[in-house]
Amino acid sequence: MDSVRRPLPLLDDESRPFWEEGRDGALSFVCCRACGALLHPPRSPCADTTAPPILAVAKYQDGVSSRA
């Protein structure tokens, strides 16, 4: 399985903080403003509501914290 290559994620202004936090050992989620759905990995608009934008709401690293 070492020979399996996976594509790197596309970094844009919306997803860059998510992937950079992951690189630094933190797991974060974003939340749809309209319905509250957690979106992982981040994407806009929400597939259920087509509502933009999405906000970063939580970051997990050595425990649980929230930044709503």
Side-chain angles (χ1 to χ4, degrees), residues 30-39 45-55 57:
V30 292
C31 181
C32 173
R33 285 186 187 201
C35 71
L38 292 177
L39 308 173
C46 173
D48 293 331
T49 65
T50 65
I54 51 181
L55 299 172
V57 295

